[in-house]
Amino acid sequence: MTFDLAGIGIGPFNLSLAAHLDQIDMVEARFFDRASSVNWHPGMMLPGVELQTSFLKDLVTATNPTSPWSFMAYLVAQKRFYEFLNADFGAIPRQEFASYLAWVGDRLASLRFGSEVEEVNFDGADFALRVAGETVKARNLSVAVGLKPNIPGWAQSACGERCFHNAQAAQRVDRLTARRIAVIGGGQSGAEVVLHLLSREHAPGTEIEWISMRPNFLPLDDSPFTDELFTPQYVDSFLALPQGRREAILEQQILAGDGASTGTLQAIYKRLYMIRHFSKEAMSVDLSPHREVLSVTRDGNEFRLVMRNGFDGAIETRTVDAVILATGYAFAVPECMSPLLDSISLDERGHYRLNASFEVGWDGPDDRRIYALNAGRLSHGIAEPQLSLMAWRSATIVNSLLGRNHFDLELPTPPVGWSSRRVANMQSLRSAERG
Ligand SMILES: Cc1cc2nc3c(=O)[nH]c(=O)nc-3n(C[C@H](O)[C@H](O)[C@H](O)COP(=O)(O)OP(=O)(O)OC[C@H]3O[C@@H](n4cnc5c(N)ncnc54)[C@H](O)[C@@H]3O)c2cc1C
């Protein structure tokens, strides 16, 4: 059979789309993942890590609150509803959200695990996916393969057993036989790795160096007006801007998406206090913000770091036994899409050109669409790689696929007047009301 839609990857984003499609009988969809189940970022499942988003921003609730695949439905099915409320989490454990995602992943009929998509072609009528050696045909595609760990150029040659990206932290940090450990990166992942290292009781004598390019160890901004950036109305205003302006605005918004949670920073500070004043011998910690790492070179069993101090302009060096790169994640067109590259429209950075409904521009027939999720930070804005708008994005894609508004996505004008277009509309509306 030919599916109406084939999904590549079953992380939260395609899982949300699958959950939205689950109740639409006329759409036959099939989603594939190479993993054996939904396992949300296992490499960063360190003890005590927390979700940075409200659990209400789950797979479905924002657009489809009666879906059986909500976080609330999961809690009730686990018979955990009262205990969960009584625990009164400020931020919920990431383990709980991962368990919710896995619960949905174990139940949706359209999902196939252990199924790597090796190659995608277009045969003139449909997409032909080679999945674990078999061919699967589909009229439309939804590509949601996540982002790749970002290894900066200066770290490439040093990577190996004792220099690795934080995406593997949970499996590797506790096995490190290293006394001096540098963590490079001042975002949430860097902070979580540092907190974990500071909390290890079995590692006396460890020297930890936390390095960040940012001028300080800065918190995630999740104040109300910043949270307005994570709304569909903001995405609408953002989409309408020229590309250069969008990029400049994203630069200014870095702490809205990539800062460390205040709770994690507080926990680090408290650990530091105890280490400095009550267990001096056990561990030493150097905090080095405002440092731009210029090179990391391996010298025998050691690594030599050279960095520029942005505070006073000096060049500094450090010698350590291990380096953990908390250097973020980056977009890449997946290998399996290579056969379609000549037909797909990419911008000068190699990112898909997307329309408002997350469709990739391509030269195939109009009724054969490629949707890309977690690929539109430059077009749709800061919320794109986050959980916040995943339900809305899924509903937008379903509406586009069906060619009608199955999900009602109309919203009132936002409280903040981002664009002059919106302010002008409001003014003419008010003067019309006044007569
Ligand atoms: C540690 C961590 C914590 C985060 N916490 C939050 C948070 O609290 N709040 C928030 O808003 N955002 C958070 N994010 C950001 C975002 O929500 C997640 O990165 C989210 O997992 C993105 O979902 P995704 O579906 O795009 O990709 P992923 O979760 O990366 O899933 C992609 C899937 O595609 C599969 N795949 C790839 N290629 C193929 C192929 N060729 N064939 C078959 N399968 C394939 C992979 O196996 C994988 O399962 C966090 C990110 C990280 C890294």
Side-chain angles (χ1 to χ4, degrees):
M1 82 175 277
T2 302
F3 291 101
D4 294 307
L5 179 126
I8 309 175
I10 313 176
F13 293 175
N14 255 348
L15 191 61
S16 166
L17 180 58
H20 278 77
L21 286 172
D22 183 46
Q23 289 149 297
I24 303 174
D25 292 337
M26 61 183 291
V27 178
E28 286 291 340
R30 180 78 23 112
F31 293 80
F32 303 97
D33 201 295
R34 59 163 77 100
S36 56
S37 60
V38 174
N39 192 1
W40 192 44
H41 296 308
M44 276 303 286
M45 207 48 87
L46 298 167
V49 292
E50 294 174 334
L51 199 69
Q52 285 190 301
T53 318
S54 162
F55 58 80
L56 288 174
K57 291 177 168 176
D58 64 10
L59 297 166
V60 288
T61 297
T63 43
N64 194 8
T66 55
S67 163
W69 307 117
S70 66
F71 183 77
M72 279 300 135
Y74 152 83
L75 276 186
V76 172
Q78 300 300 305
K79 307 196 182 298
R80 223 179 268 170
F81 180 80
Y82 298 105
E83 269 182 76
F84 178 83
L85 288 188
N86 293 347
D88 197 18
F89 293 109
I92 74 162
R94 220 150 64 217
Q95 202 179 0
E96 177 87 77
F97 203 74
S99 161
Y100 155 63
L101 297 174
W103 177 80
V104 178
D106 288 345
R107 283 161 181 77
L108 277 176
S110 59
L111 313 181
R112 293 292 175 276
F113 294 96
S115 304
E116 167 141 19
V117 178
E118 292 146 4
E119 197 174 88
V120 184
N121 283 285
F122 188 69
D123 66 10
D126 298 305
F127 294 103
L129 291 77
R130 206 177 69 226
V131 186
E134 311 251 308
T135 299
V136 174
K137 295 242 176 160
R139 282 180 269 281
N140 301 283
L141 286 182
S142 166
V143 184
V145 293
L147 303 176
K148 294 257 168 299
N150 176 47
I151 309 284
W154 44 256
Q156 305 269 346
S157 63
C159 280
E161 201 190 329
R162 281 180 296 106
C163 174
F164 53 85
H165 191 271
N166 70 268
Q168 300 173 314
Q171 293 84 12
R172 295 179 68 170
V173 165
D174 287 342
R175 282 200 244 125
L176 266 181
T177 47
R179 192 173 55 80
R180 298 163 298 176
I181 304 174
V183 178
I184 304 178
Q188 178 65 14
S189 293
E192 286 175 2
V193 172
V194 167
L195 181 59
H196 180 63
L197 290 171
L198 296 182
S199 309
R200 295 190 307 173
E201 280 169 8
H202 59 277
T206 309
E207 294 174 24
I208 296 160
E209 168 104 20
W210 188 17
I211 298 163
S212 175
M213 191 140 91
R214 295 178 189 162
N216 201 345
F217 296 103
L218 296 170
L220 181 80
D221 179 358
D222 58 356
S223 52
F225 292 107
T226 297
D227 282 347
E228 275 293 311
L229 309 180
F230 298 85
T231 60
Q233 296 103 315
Y234 183 79
V235 176
D236 279 349
S237 305
F238 189 83
L239 270 167
L241 294 173
Q243 185 170 331
R245 205 169 271 277
R246 287 200 299 257
E247 286 182 25
I249 288 175
L250 283 170
E251 281 290 313
Q252 296 158 8
Q253 293 173 345
I254 194 83
L255 291 175
D258 290 344
S261 297
T262 301
T264 313
L265 294 178
Q266 279 168 341
I268 290 173
Y269 201 95
K270 285 174 186 163
R271 273 299 298 155
L272 277 175
Y273 183 90
M274 296 307 288
I275 289 167
R276 281 164 62 81
H277 302 298
F278 293 96
S279 55
K280 276 189 191 140
E281 312 307 315
M283 206 176 259
S284 79
V285 186
D286 277 326
L287 300 181
S288 303
H290 220 159
R291 304 308 202 277
E292 181 190 3
V293 177
L294 303 173
S295 66
V296 177
T297 39
R298 199 194 315 227
D299 183 7
N301 283 333
E302 297 180 332
F303 296 91
R304 187 164 177 274
L305 277 58
V306 179
M307 46 204 186
R308 184 182 293 114
N309 183 332
F311 187 69
D312 56 21
I315 297 291
E316 302 172 355
T317 59
R318 302 278 193 283
T319 303
V320 295
D321 307 307
V323 178
I324 301 172
L325 301 162
T327 40
Y329 294 79
F331 170 83
V333 176
E335 194 57 32
C336 63
M337 293 293 282
S338 302
L340 296 180
L341 276 184
D342 285 346
S343 310
I344 283 178
S345 174
L346 300 177
D347 66 17
E348 50 288 346
R349 290 169 179 246
H351 291 218
Y352 303 121
R353 284 186 211 278
L354 298 179
N355 74 6
S357 304
F358 303 92
E359 278 176 50
V360 178
W362 83 302
D363 62 13
D366 288 348
D367 60 352
R368 296 294 183 267
R369 301 188 183 108
I370 304 170
Y371 298 97
L373 292 69
N374 203 351
R377 188 170 170 273
L378 294 179
S379 50
H380 290 67
I382 186 178
E384 183 57 10
Q386 310 284 339
L387 302 173
S388 295
L389 290 181
M390 70 175 159
W392 169 80
R393 178 178 50 213
S394 300
T396 302
I397 291 173
V398 173
N399 286 356
S400 152
L401 191 67
L402 296 176
R404 62 185 164 80
N405 290 336
H406 179 88
F407 292 104
D408 176 5
L409 301 180
E410 281 293 314
L411 287 170
T413 46
V416 182
W418 301 108
S419 76
S420 36
R421 197 171 40 120
R422 180 263 192 194
V423 172
N425 286 347
M426 290 297 289
Q427 279 175 346
S428 60
L429 214 81
R430 281 192 200 120
S431 44
E433 278 169 6
R434 281 196 296 269

